[in-house]
Amino acid sequence: MPLLETEGLVKQFGGVTATDDVNVTIEEDERVSLIGPNGAGKSTFINLVTRRLEPTSGDIRFDGDSILGLDPHEVVQRGVSKSFQTASIFPELSVLDNARIASLAAEHGKFRFNFLSRLDSYPEVDELARTTLSDVGLWGQRDVPAEDLPYGDKRRLEIGIALAAEPDLLLMDEPTAGMSPEETQATVDLIEEVKEGRDLTYLLVEHDMEIVFSISDRIIVLNRGEVIAEGPPAEIREDESVQDAYLGGVEA
Ligand SMILES: Nc1ncnc2c1ncn2[C@@H]1O[C@H](COP(=O)(O)OP(=O)(O)O)[C@@H](O)[C@H]1O
Ligand SMILES: [Mg+2]
């Protein structure tokens, strides 16, 4: 059974069809990239899967069950987590407290939280926060206010926050946007590292083709809301419809 499956997924904004009958499957443990020119519908697709957007028609199944009745936080509890382009960091709080809050949210429902207690009086939360920060290499900076972290480390913290939910599927929308080449490389390394240590499937939206070709098992290409190609990097590199879409699109 695929981990994620969409069937006839359509999202219209007024007259614009942002995703147009999208049928994709992602298998457990796969590293998949979603690419396409600006406006192709990539972010819309991600936001449909996280339930931030309601589809016009079609279905989305996670682990075999439709998630269409679920709220965004319930999707996270099922095991789908999104990193980046989210205001997930509390800038004035320390790195550790940010991790604690993410851990608390992840553990929510497993125990009863008393708002009069201190955040660090929950051993389960503390333990998860520590593991999470170690995983993304930020344990040494735990006492630093999040706003004082360099840009690349902030992105690391965001990945950590997404990982605290212990997702089966991690969605990333342009994680390297606005980064220097060094920060980009560090982020790519982090994504690969994080994947190595755990049972994780990811779907990455990324515009840098070299990254996409190096980091993916499979690539799905969207153009004007439609899947125009999918396959392993070597196949996509040679695909003429993909080359046409990029040359004819907004981006070269
Ligand atoms: N909230 C929205 N309201 C109206 N139109 C939108 C909205 N979000 C996206 N669109 C339109 O849907 C299309 C796909 O957008 P998007 O998913 O952001 O593309 P991508 O992430 O591939 O650049 C674009 O034409 C965009 O203008
Ligand atoms: Mg986008």
Side-chain angles (χ1 to χ4, degrees), residues 52-127:
R52 297 275 160 200
L53 287 174
E54 191 66 36
T56 305
S57 60
D59 199 7
I60 304 168
R61 285 185 290 273
F62 185 70
D63 235 351
D65 297 319
S66 176
I67 59 167
L68 286 195
L70 304 183
D71 290 336
H73 76 273
E74 293 172 315
V75 177
V76 176
Q77 282 167 354
R78 287 275 177 100
V80 182
S81 196
K82 179 186 163 185
S83 179
F84 303 107
Q85 295 189 349
T86 53
S88 51
I89 293 182
F90 295 94
E92 283 126 58
L93 295 185
S94 71
V95 167
L96 181 57
D97 279 343
N98 269 279
R100 282 187 179 131
I101 287 170
S103 304
L104 181 65
E107 296 276 304
H108 176 81
K110 291 187 197 158
F111 68 98
R112 219 180 144 79
F113 179 64
N114 177 353
F115 279 93
L116 297 176
S117 299
R118 287 167 50 93
L119 197 53
D120 58 5
S121 61
Y122 293 88
E124 310 89 330
V125 167
D126 249 23
E127 176 62 26

Side-chain angles (χ1 to χ4, degrees), residues 41-53:
K42 305 179 296 295
S43 295
T44 299
F45 180 81
I46 298 273
N47 291 331
L48 287 167
V49 172
T50 58
R51 297 283 300 136
R52 297 275 160 200
L53 287 174

Side-chain angles (χ1 to χ4, degrees), residues 18 34-44 173-174 205-209 219-229 236 241-252:
L34 181 62
I35 67 169
N38 263 338
K42 305 179 296 295
S43 295
T44 299
D173 194 350
E174 311 233 7
V205 173
E206 175 57 57
H207 63 270
D208 183 323
M209 289 302 196
I219 299 170
I220 299 172
V221 189
L222 274 182
N223 189 35
R224 297 169 195 275
E226 288 184 70
V227 176
I228 58 164
I236 296 301
S241 63
V242 175
Q243 289 167 8
D244 289 349
Y246 274 87
L247 294 175
V250 184
E251 290 171 353

